[in-house]
Amino acid sequence: MYSGLIFESLPWWIAAPLLQLGILVFGMALDETYVNRATVLTGAIALYTHSVIAGGVWMPVGLYLDIGVVIGAYGLYAYVVDAYVANWFRVAAFFVYSPLSVFLVILLPDVVFPLALVIAGYANLQLMATLEPTEPYYFGPDSSDEFEEAVAATDEGKKGTEDETATEPDVSSDDSSSGHLGAEPAPTGGDSEERGILPEFMRRL
C-alpha cells in the first residue's frame, strides 16, 4: 500500500517527536506568543499523543494530562470569545502547562515528572526576567473590567457603523468614471498593539 503522506514515510521515532513539536508550535502560533490561552490545550494534546505512542504514562503524569485537558478547554473557550482569565489560569499556563513544561514532561522519564516541572518553571522565570519589559505571554484582557469595556466599545462601534450605513446617501447613480472609495488602510505606526508573526521576544530567543 502506497501513501502520499510524508509523515508516514518517516520512521516513527522521527515522526512522533515532529508531530508533538508541531502541536506545541501550533499552540504558540495561535496568539503569536510563547504562552497564551490556547497553549494549555495544545500542550495536553501533545502529551496525549505521547501517551498513545508510549502505550501509557505514569499515573501522576496521567492526572497532569487530565487536569490540563480541563484547564485547556476553559482556555480555548476564553480564547474564542476573547474573555478575561483569572490569575490562577495565568499561573498554571505559564509555569505548569507552558510549552517548555510539556516538552520536558514528554522528553524526560515519567519518574522525574516533578523535576521536569520545577526545571521548566525556573526556566520560565528566567525567561520573563530576561525579556522584561516584553511579556512572553498573552492571556487576553488584563481584567474583567477591561474585557467588558472592550466588548462595550465594539458594540458601540458596530451600532455607529449601522447608523452611518442607514443615513448614507445613495450614490449608485453617480458617474462610474469617478471611481469608488476603498477602505482606509489600518494604521501601522509604532503605537499598534498588534502582535506580528515574529514578535519581539521570539526574535530575541
Side-chain angles (χ1 to χ4, degrees):
M1 180 178 179
Y2 296 95
S3 174
L5 296 178
I6 297 177
F7 270 73
E8 288 195 6
S9 65
L10 297 175
W12 71 268
W13 51 272
I14 295 180
L18 287 178
L19 175 61
Q20 294 160 8
L21 283 174
I23 294 172
L24 292 175
V25 171
F26 174 73
M28 292 185 286
L30 283 176
D31 238 337
E32 299 174 349
T33 55
Y34 169 57
V35 181
N36 58 69
R37 291 163 290 182
T39 50
V40 176
L41 183 59
T42 55
I45 294 174
L47 182 56
Y48 177 71
T49 303
H50 166 71
S51 174
V52 172
I53 295 173
V57 291
W58 189 32
M59 186 186 68
V61 179
L63 183 61
Y64 170 77
L65 169 59
D66 292 340
I67 295 174
V69 170
V70 175
I71 296 177
Y74 167 71
L76 180 63
Y77 165 77
Y79 171 81
V80 170
V81 302
D82 199 21
Y84 168 75
V85 291
N87 285 333
W88 66 266
F89 179 89
R90 298 167 187 247
V91 171
F94 191 77
F95 292 105
V96 185
Y97 288 97
S98 69
L100 178 59
S101 302
V102 175
F103 177 75
L104 290 181
V105 170
I106 292 175
L107 182 65
L108 300 178
D110 287 356
V111 292
V112 295
F113 159 68
L115 180 61
L117 295 183
V118 171
I119 294 174
Y122 176 77
N124 289 331
L125 275 175
Q126 296 303 310
L127 177 65
M128 187 186 300
T130 301
L131 298 177
E132 190 178 8
T134 302
E135 297 178 344
Y137 51 78
Y138 176 69
F139 297 120
D142 290 331
S143 67
S144 56
D145 292 338
E146 181 179 325
F147 170 67
E148 295 297 338
E149 290 174 1
V151 171
T154 301
D155 292 341
E156 289 179 3
K158 290 181 179 178
K159 182 178 178 181
T161 302
E162 292 174 355
D163 293 342
E164 290 176 4
T165 303
T167 59
E168 190 176 85
D170 185 8
V171 295
S172 58
S173 60
D174 292 350
D175 186 3
S176 59
S177 62
S178 62
H180 299 281
L181 293 178
E184 289 293 330
T188 57
D191 294 337
S192 174
E193 296 181 357
E194 182 179 357
R195 297 176 302 282
I197 298 300
L198 291 175
E200 181 182 353
F201 84 91
M202 280 188 175
R203 292 195 296 267
R204 292 174 59 185
L205 287 180

